[in-house]
């Protein structure tokens, strides 16, 4: 995931919401390392089932700083979006998940577009991780500072908490209310899908039949229907 020994400079990042129409993210922690790699670290304490789309939006904003005018595309700086979750997003009992683009039909061919997207399960077994990752998991689970990386993170977190200009870094009440309302609708929809899938399973419908039912009745595409089915079956 993160390379051991990498020195990271952490700083606060200005609000990216510059447009009243299109969504702009507010980075929890923005960082750059000695090699020029750009990082965005986000905390996530609820599973709203939209993390992949959120990562794409954050990557889009990091990419604006990844290449200077006049540089060749081969000089693009690496951009890393790291979501730290206190739950297991995919329920596979893994400490972290890395999302990578693949060539359709050829999963052995990985596409290097300069992006790295990682989801960390903070409740995972840190003993199975490299030293730097153990340090990060320990810090975000109990706040213990054990090395240079966590010192830098702790400093950034304290700066944000003490920032008197919180209005520049956090969403407005209206934005928060709108987002919570959207999440509530999403949770209600997901619950209806889950109950439907469980009911169809008790009727002995097979996987393909259930996915077709979801596509026909819940306005889902095949990939969304498959994801909903696998999410429910993983916890059945």
């Amino acid at each position: 995931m993160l390379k051991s020994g990498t020195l990271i400079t952490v700083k606060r990042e200005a609000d990216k919401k510059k447009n009243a129409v299109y969504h702009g993210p507010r980075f929890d922690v923005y960082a750059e390392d000695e090699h020029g790699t750009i990082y965005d670290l986000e905390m996530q304490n609820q599973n709203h089932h939209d993390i992949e789309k959120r990562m794409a939006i954050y990557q889009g904003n990091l990419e604006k700083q990844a290449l200077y005018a006049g540089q060749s595309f081969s000089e693009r700086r690496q951009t890393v979006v790291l979501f730290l979750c206190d739950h297991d997003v995919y329920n596979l009992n893994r400490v972290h998940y890395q999302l990578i683009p693949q060539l359709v039909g050829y999963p052995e061919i990985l596409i290097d577009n300069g992006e790295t997207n990682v989801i960390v399960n903070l409740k995972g077994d840190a003993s199975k991780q490299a030293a730097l990752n153990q340090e990060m998991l320990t810090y975000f689970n109990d706040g213990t500072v054990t090395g240079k990386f966590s010192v830098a993170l702790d400093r950034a977190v304290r700066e944000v908490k003490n920032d008197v200009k919180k209005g520049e870094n956090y969403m407005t009440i209206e934005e928060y209310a709108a987002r919570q309302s959207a999440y509530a609708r999403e949770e209600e929809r997901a619950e209806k899908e889950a109950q439907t899938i469980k009911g169809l399973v008790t009727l002995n419908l097979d996987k393909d039949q259930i996915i077709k039912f979801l596509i026909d009745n819940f306005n889902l595409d095949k990939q969304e229907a498959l994801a909903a089915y696998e999410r429910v079956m993983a916890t059945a």
Side-chain angles (χ1 to χ4, degrees):
M1 194 164 61
L2 294 176
K3 294 182 179 179
S4 180
T6 300
L7 298 178
I8 297 185
T9 301
V10 182
K11 60 182 180 181
R12 287 173 294 171
E13 176 66 1
D15 187 351
K16 291 296 182 180
K17 190 173 181 60
K18 302 299 183 184
N19 189 295
V21 177
Y22 297 108
H23 181 80
R26 292 172 172 84
F27 298 136
D28 284 354
V29 178
Y30 174 94
E32 297 183 19
D33 69 15
E34 59 185 355
H35 305 294
T37 300
I38 306 171
Y39 299 84
D40 167 40
L41 281 70
E42 299 292 325
M43 293 295 297
Q44 184 80 10
N45 57 15
Q46 290 182 302
N47 188 359
H48 296 299
H49 309 292
D50 62 359
I51 196 166
E52 298 88 353
K53 294 180 176 64
R54 291 187 64 191
M55 295 180 96
I57 294 295
Y58 283 102
Q59 277 287 358
N61 280 270
L62 291 183
E63 288 168 358
K64 295 175 182 178
Q65 305 170 64
L67 192 68
Y68 293 109
Q71 286 186 307
S72 69
F73 289 109
S74 62
E75 296 177 276
R76 181 199 189 281
R77 299 165 71 185
Q78 295 289 317
T79 53
V80 178
V81 172
L82 189 66
F83 267 72
L84 310 174
C85 303
D86 65 356
H87 53 277
D88 190 343
V89 173
Y90 298 112
N91 295 312
L92 296 175
N93 199 31
R94 298 286 300 277
V95 175
H96 71 269
Y97 304 96
Q98 183 171 348
L99 282 59
I100 55 175
Q102 297 177 330
L103 189 63
V104 175
Y106 300 89
E108 72 280 3
I109 299 179
L110 307 182
I111 309 301
D112 181 12
N113 58 2
E115 296 181 6
T116 299
N117 294 292
V118 176
I119 300 170
V120 177
N121 173 18
L122 293 173
K123 301 306 181 184
D125 185 358
S127 66
K128 298 179 180 179
Q129 294 296 296
L132 185 61
N133 299 333
Q134 289 184 35
E135 180 182 347
M136 181 184 64
L137 292 175
T138 298
Y139 175 78
F140 282 106
N141 271 310
D142 58 27
T144 302
V145 173
T146 56
K148 291 182 179 180
F149 181 77
S150 51
V151 166
L153 284 178
D154 187 61
R155 184 184 304 116
V157 170
R158 290 177 185 275
E159 287 179 353
V160 172
K161 286 183 177 180
N162 294 328
D163 187 1
V164 295
K165 297 180 180 179
K166 290 183 178 179
E168 297 179 359
N169 297 307
Y170 296 99
M171 65 184 71
T172 65
I173 294 175
E174 291 81 2
E175 289 175 318
Y176 177 81
R179 178 170 295 182
Q180 291 304 109
S181 177
Y183 283 148
R185 291 194 299 272
E186 179 66 20
E187 289 293 337
E188 182 180 356
R189 184 190 63 79
E191 179 62 24
K192 287 182 179 179
E193 290 175 3
Q195 293 302 320
T196 299
I197 292 169
K198 292 176 182 178
L200 295 176
V201 169
T202 62
L203 294 175
N204 296 319
L205 272 68
D206 63 26
K207 178 179 178 180
D208 291 338
Q209 291 174 315
I210 293 174
I211 289 174
K212 184 178 186 304
F213 185 93
L214 294 175
I215 293 172
D216 293 341
N217 294 275
F218 284 86
N219 196 29
L220 302 178
D221 61 31
K222 186 173 182 179
Q223 184 175 0
E224 291 170 334
L226 178 60
Y229 174 83
E230 292 181 342
R231 187 163 53 244
V232 171
M233 299 309 293
T235 58

